[in-house]
Amino acid sequence: MDLISKALSILSPGGPISRKLEGYEVRPQQMEMARAVAEAFEGGGALVVEAGTGVGKSFAYLVPAILFSTETGEPVVISTNTINLQEQLIDKDIPFLREALPVDFTAALLKGRANYLCLRRLERLAKSEKGEFETVEEVQDFIRIREWARRTAEGTISELCPQPSESVWSKVCSQSETCLGGECKFREGCFYYRARELVSQANLIIVNHHLLLSDMVIRSVAPSGALLPDYRHLIIDEAHNLEAVATEHIGRSVSNWRVKRLLDELYNPRAGDEPKGFLVKEIPAPELYPLVEEARARAELFFELISTWIGEGDTKRIDEGSAIPNLLEEPILRIEEGLNELRERVTDQEDELELAALMRRCAELRDDLWAILSADEPGVVYWAERSVGRRVTISLNAAPISVAEELREHLFSRLRTVVATSATLAVGGSFEYFKERVGLEGARELLLGSPFDYSKQVKLFIAADLPDPREEGFVREAAEYVKRYLKLTHGKALVLFTSYRMMEEMFEILKPWLEEMGIPAMVQGEELSRSQMIERFREEVDSVIFGVASFWEGVDVQGEALSNVIIVKLPFSVPDHPVIQARLEEIERRGGNPFYEYSLPEAVLRLKQGFGRLIRTKSDAGIVAILDSRILTKSYGRVFLESLPECQVIVEGA
């Protein structure tokens, strides 16, 4: 029996899965996807699949992948974007299939190296006589980590709840630069190498997009340092996020916090009762303190100048002629030279590794600064950015205008099989936008709808008489519609925005009314984290979340708790961000239409993600409301509507 027949027999009525899983229903879409994935493994090449919610796409690719790997002995890498899906695969789907399938197989999860605890660095820090912490909270975090280290099996930061501060974890996490390898006395119990060992023997290797692309970047310059074992078969789930993650990984960034962390690790005279840092404790070098302090003063001035240069906005493009003086090149170089001179004093191998790592970080910082401020590489966009959250971050950045060529050359070209899948890849029934953006132009296509009956499960309300969202007065008028739709479900709603400004303005208008109605409301960016907001939303059944970008996808709340999704504005990206500007300019340069080739497809996929938050199971039901009348008044509106599942549409105020 060939791979296709075997995969379909496992998923068919009376097969191993149906015998093991009570209430299992065979879904034609799942069978069709499994057939296409099995064909891709057998014949090679690339396959792009949009599988709507409820198709069961994880089983549709896991079953063929398992059968193929166990028959050929070749590993299959499966990459996801979110931790939620990763955990679903490794904790739920794969253990079930291990019991149900008539074949033995292994699966292993590998995370980025910095996710793992380094026992050697933990012990080294614990022995520090002078300590390394600035606050009581940091000391408490460190004590928690030491206690947890005695009982953890996996040794990754995700097991810690609440998670420790970045400043503490960075001192004890695994790093390639400070690793002793086989000479380390903790080698046998090393969490990272144990995970690497499991991965090297696994049929299925589960990673996230960040690790996948880090491995790609490393292989392109130093293949021997690859993070993953050699592989020729790749499944990319949540593939709609691939371009964004690739943009981040192929780019560069230097922030005020990156510089501060480096300088503080060298010498920090402001840390509690006494100075701390490598130059105080490991290799005392008071002659270098002035160099670090000079660099600190230069850094403060440097990022202050950048903030002033940015002006009133959040971002500003950097061009070859931009007059941003590189105030950090000289002081960082002098520190690097000073560290190099310290090598003569080093007698301890661990100190030597730490010293080399600090020197490397200085060199990488200088290299990134030079590359960004030169702003002369074709196909790259450069910009400065100021973001305000719990702290102000000023950063200099560089990113490729297109990642397609990089992905095609350094990832896809060396693979025999590539399967890219998501619930949202097609725009108006076409995959051209996705395929062109990520370099999969020649891939075979499969567009599968959802097995859910949206015509019975969803009512789509469209407000036809509201002004254009860009006009003054829109928010106040739209707030009345939000009240109307929240009344229909008495809360239980996700209200989605495209900007914090509009969200906050809307919430201030609605706050008294929500209190009067007894509807608890949470606003993104306030006290609770995203995961805490979702957890409370599940528990307080009548509550409402007001959210921006990150709430348009990855929210999986089943049942009555989420009965209403209100989309205030069509999710067009603001074209003032430098990366988006550069991509639109590039399309225009080659004679294309930036709006129809980029802005519209991107917004359609984002709308599909937002719409998809409502129906997660066949028993879910509720309403979706779109308050942006352009979906009716503009010619491009039909592309949005044609991309959504067929459901009952109610136009109000027409």
Side-chain angles (χ1 to χ4, degrees), residues 423-570:
T424 53
L425 291 179
V427 177
S430 169
F431 287 97
E432 288 311 304
Y433 172 75
F434 171 76
K435 289 164 65 175
E436 184 180 304
R437 297 307 308 170
V438 301
L440 279 174
E441 287 90 341
R444 297 191 297 279
E445 302 174 3
L446 180 61
L447 179 59
L448 299 170
S450 169
F452 298 150
D453 190 347
Y454 284 91
S455 63
K456 293 180 180 176
Q457 291 177 262
V458 181
K459 288 183 179 179
L460 173 60
F461 291 89
I462 301 176
D465 59 347
L466 284 171
D468 188 301
R470 296 164 293 185
E471 292 179 15
E472 194 175 339
F474 167 78
V475 174
R476 186 159 294 279
E477 290 189 45
E480 295 305 311
Y481 268 100
V482 174
K483 289 179 185 177
R484 181 188 308 181
Y485 297 130
L486 289 180
K487 276 184 183 177
L488 291 178
T489 54
H490 197 265
K492 307 177 186 66
L494 192 56
V495 188
L496 298 174
F497 297 83
T498 57
S499 74
Y500 275 96
R501 187 174 302 165
M502 183 179 284
M503 177 182 71
E504 288 161 359
E505 186 182 346
M506 176 81 76
F507 180 68
E508 284 305 309
I509 294 169
L510 293 173
K511 191 175 179 180
W513 180 83
L514 289 165
E515 291 173 355
E516 182 185 327
M517 294 292 291
I519 298 175
M522 292 168 280
V523 182
Q524 188 174 358
E526 294 191 346
E527 293 179 7
L528 300 178
S529 68
R530 180 181 181 275
S531 58
Q532 288 171 328
M533 288 173 71
I534 294 170
E535 195 55 42
R536 183 175 292 184
F537 184 71
R538 286 193 180 99
E539 293 168 359
E540 296 186 24
V541 179
D542 290 333
S543 59
V544 176
I545 285 178
F546 289 76
V548 288
S550 63
F551 278 93
W552 286 75
E553 62 178 285
V555 177
D556 189 358
V557 178
Q558 300 175 10
E560 186 189 9
L562 180 49
S563 302
N564 186 348
V565 174
I566 300 174
I567 294 167
V568 177
K569 182 174 177 282
L570 292 175

Side-chain angles (χ1 to χ4, degrees), residues 4 10 35 46 56 58 240 381 394 402 434 440 493:
I4 298 169
I10 285 171
R35 175 187 290 277
S58 59
H240 62 280
V381 57
I394 310 293
S402 170
F434 171 76
L440 279 174

Side-chain angles (χ1 to χ4, degrees), residues 77 79-81 207-221 227-228 231 234 236 238-239 241-251 403 406-408 410-412 414 438:
V77 172
S79 182
T80 76
N81 188 59
V207 300
N208 65 18
H209 296 349
H210 290 273
L211 181 59
L212 176 76
L213 294 165
S214 293
D215 178 75
M216 178 195 78
V217 171
I218 291 170
R219 282 177 192 270
S220 69
V221 293
L227 304 173
L228 296 172
Y231 67 96
L234 172 65
I236 306 168
E238 300 178 311
N241 296 112
L242 186 64
E243 182 186 19
V245 180
T247 301
E248 178 185 336
H249 272 267
I250 301 168
V403 299
E406 193 85 13
L407 291 173
R408 193 164 41 237
H410 296 300
L411 182 63
F412 302 137
R414 61 179 179 80
V438 301

Side-chain angles (χ1 to χ4, degrees), residues 30-102:
Q30 186 181 58
M31 299 290 280
E32 197 174 344
M33 179 174 174
R35 175 187 290 277
V37 173
E39 286 174 351
F41 277 117
E42 281 204 329
L47 169 69
V48 176
V49 185
E50 176 174 293
T53 310
V55 164
K57 67 179 184 299
S58 59
F59 277 16
Y61 63 67
L62 285 172
V63 170
I66 291 164
L67 294 175
F68 175 80
S69 181
T70 53
E71 286 183 9
T72 63
E74 292 196 65
V76 177
V77 172
I78 299 172
S79 182
T80 76
N81 188 59
T82 61
I83 292 172
N84 286 347
L85 179 54
Q86 215 172 56
E87 289 177 346
Q88 178 194 313
L89 293 176
I90 208 74
D91 296 334
K92 184 181 174 185
D93 294 345
I94 288 172
F96 170 81
L97 291 174
R98 195 176 280 124
E99 289 186 12
L101 267 55

Side-chain angles (χ1 to χ4, degrees), residues 310-325:
I310 292 171
E312 294 183 1
D314 299 323
T315 62
K316 188 172 180 178
R317 289 273 285 273
I318 299 172
D319 299 311
E320 276 190 77
S322 298
I324 301 176

Side-chain angles (χ1 to χ4, degrees), residues 14 206 237-238 248 273 323 334 362 395-396 414-415 549 630:
I206 314 298
D237 202 342
E238 300 178 311
E248 178 185 336
D273 299 331
R334 289 174 65 194
C362 287
S395 62
L396 298 172
R414 61 179 179 80
L415 301 177
R630 291 177 295 177

